[in-house]
Every structure is written in structure tokens, then in C-alpha cells.
Amino acid sequence: MESNILIIAAGLFIGTVGTLIGAGGGFILVPLLLIFYPELSPEMVTAISIAVVSVNAISGTFAYARSGRIDYRAGITFALYTIPGSILGVLTVKYIPQQLFNTIFGILLLVLAGYLFYKNRNAILNANTVHKQGYRQHTLTDNKGITYTYSYNPLYGNLVSIVVGYISPLLGIGGGIIHVPAMVNWLKFPVHVATATSHFILAVMATVSVIVHAISGTYNNEGTVQMILLLALGVVPGAQLGALLSHKIKSNVIIQSLAVCMILVGIRILVKAF
């Protein structure tokens, strides 16, 4: 009973933080599974994580939809480009050795954290609008009356989405820790629009990965399904809380908090790997 309560509490934390920063929460859950359930294979770890990310992303998307911060045109396009990679990632994760998986995951977290600290010391509410051929201009006003004006190159966004689609189920991280920094720093989305839109993309991408895992028989184990359901009990309300808090926290604080979490987790995973 105590262990079940702890799993639900972990789901609540994952849902809150994951939705707050638009990352889905997989970067928190995967390390927890690697640390507390070392007997699980990389395939099982990523399958559990991506299922929880899917629940979190769907719940968070409903909350962000009410806030009016999702760029649906960009989100739908980017989501479609993640699908081929999502399928391929699920099919290849079973061939990665445990130590290599841990090492890749730990290094990825540290590299991304360093990049976030370097690039987001002065995060701003609105990104600069670029008037160039091939760029898409967009203006979005949320339900608080805040207007975001920005432009982005959809070709770059599609390329990023293909990569994120593959890496997400491969490492079980949901992809938001890559997609959000890319949307903010490379595509120049405002931070709050990037986190909301990233969550919408995750809802599509993670659900596709879950379907592929289910067809492959990964979820046939009763204990696996029970763990996912317990985590989901915490994740669903956590996602609503995270979306609510996102209205009250500054953009640069969101990004810097993400970076700190990634550093701590990355170090812990690398220590375990070696």
C-alpha cells in the first residue's frame, strides 16, 4: 500500500513538472525507474515512461487548450513529422544494451542542460519576428489577453520533429526536453507558447508510440500495466496543476528549472552507469 502511494505521488510530481515545462515528464520518470527498478530492461523502462508521458500530455493539452497558448497549426504539422520516428524508435530500443542506454541518456541530459543555461539567461516573453522568405508569421492571444507575435521556419521545425520523434520512444523521455529548447532558441517561439504547443505535440507522438508498444506486446505484463495506472492517477491532476502554475511563473524561471533538474538527474544516471 505504501509503495502504491509513493508511485501515485511520483506521478503527481511528474505531471506537475512535466506539464509546467512542456517536457512530458519522461526525463524524470526514466531515471526513477533506472534507479529503483534496475531489473527492468530499456524496452520496458521506455514503454512505461512513454505511456505515462502520453497520459500527462493529453491531460496537460486540455489544460493548455483552455489557456489559449497552443499554436495548433505548428503543433499539428510538427506532430505529423514525429510519427515515422516514433514508430522506428519503439522498434529499435530493444537492441540497446542497458549500460549504453544509461550512458547515452545521462550525457544527453547534461548537454541539453548546459545549452539551456547558456542560451536562456535572458528569456523573453515575445520572440523576435523575422520577415524572410519561407518564414511563417503568427500572432496568438491567450485567454489572459497576452498577445504573442513571432515567426518561425517550418522546415527547421519539421526536421527537429523527425529527430525528436525517433529519440522520444528510444529513451522514453517524451521529447519535450529537446522540442522546447529547439522551439525557443532555434525556431524563436515565445517560451509559454513553446511549452503549450510542445505538450500538444507530445500528446500525439507519445500516443502513437504507446500503440506500437501495445501491438508489439510490451504491455502484456500485469505488473507493468498496474504501475502505469498508478502513475496515471497522479499524473492527470499533476498536469492540470502544472498548466495552472505556468501562468504564474516567468519564462526564464521555467527554462532554468528544467536545466537544473536535467543536471541532477544526468549526473545520477552516469554514476549508476559506471
Side-chain angles (χ1 to χ4, degrees):
M1 177 61 99
E2 289 183 1
S3 62
N4 290 346
I5 293 174
L6 288 175
I7 292 174
I8 295 172
L12 181 65
F13 177 74
I14 291 166
T16 302
V17 176
T19 301
L20 177 64
I21 59 180
F27 76 100
I28 302 172
L29 180 56
V30 169
L32 290 177
L33 293 174
L34 292 176
I35 294 169
F36 294 105
Y37 298 91
E39 71 279 4
L40 294 177
S41 67
E43 181 183 18
M44 190 59 69
V45 168
T46 56
I48 293 171
S49 179
I50 208 68
V52 173
V53 166
S54 176
V55 173
N56 186 21
I58 292 171
S59 178
T61 294
F62 279 108
Y64 277 128
R66 291 194 299 269
S67 76
R69 290 180 174 176
I70 298 176
D71 184 336
Y72 288 103
R73 184 178 182 182
I76 291 171
T77 302
F78 295 165
L80 290 175
Y81 274 88
T82 66
I83 291 175
S86 297
I87 296 172
L88 184 61
V90 170
L91 297 178
T92 57
V93 67
K94 64 182 69 176
Y95 302 107
I96 300 180
Q98 182 77 50
Q99 186 175 13
L100 178 61
F101 177 86
N102 290 2
T103 303
I104 292 174
F105 189 83
I107 292 174
L108 175 65
L109 289 180
L110 293 180
V111 169
L112 287 172
Y115 181 75
L116 288 181
F117 269 123
Y118 175 74
K119 293 292 290 186
N120 290 281
R121 286 171 295 183
N122 298 303
I124 55 176
L125 185 66
N126 277 318
N128 295 325
T129 302
V130 178
H131 297 281
K132 290 183 179 179
Q133 184 176 2
Y135 276 70
R136 183 169 293 163
Q137 316 297 321
H138 191 67
T139 299
L140 183 152
T141 302
D142 67 15
N143 66 359
K144 299 292 184 181
I146 301 173
T147 298
Y148 305 88
T149 300
Y150 55 98
S151 60
Y152 64 95
N153 189 320
L155 175 60
Y156 293 165
N158 296 340
L159 292 175
V160 170
S161 297
I162 292 172
V163 174
V164 169
Y166 178 68
I167 293 177
S168 174
L170 191 70
L171 297 178
I173 57 176
I177 61 171
I178 301 173
H179 231 156
V180 172
M183 291 176 72
V184 172
N185 294 302
W186 195 18
L187 301 180
K188 304 304 180 182
F189 275 70
V191 173
H192 287 107
V193 175
T195 53
T197 305
S198 171
H199 230 63
F200 173 76
I201 297 168
L202 281 177
V204 177
M205 178 175 60
T207 301
V208 169
S209 298
V210 169
I211 291 171
V212 177
H213 271 300
I215 294 173
S216 302
T218 312
Y219 299 122
N220 289 345
N221 184 281
E222 185 177 330
T224 299
V225 174
Q226 182 181 3
M227 180 180 291
I228 292 172
L229 291 176
L230 288 172
L231 286 166
L233 286 176
V235 161
V236 171
Q240 300 300 311
L241 178 59
L244 178 64
L245 291 175
S246 71
H247 290 285
K248 306 178 184 300
I249 299 178
K250 293 181 179 180
S251 302
N252 62 325
V253 174
I254 293 175
I255 297 297
Q256 298 298 339
S257 298
L258 170 58
V260 171
C261 291
M262 289 163 63
I263 288 175
L264 295 175
V265 170
I267 291 173
R268 180 65 182 87
I269 294 301
L270 286 176
V271 169
K272 179 178 174 61
F274 295 102

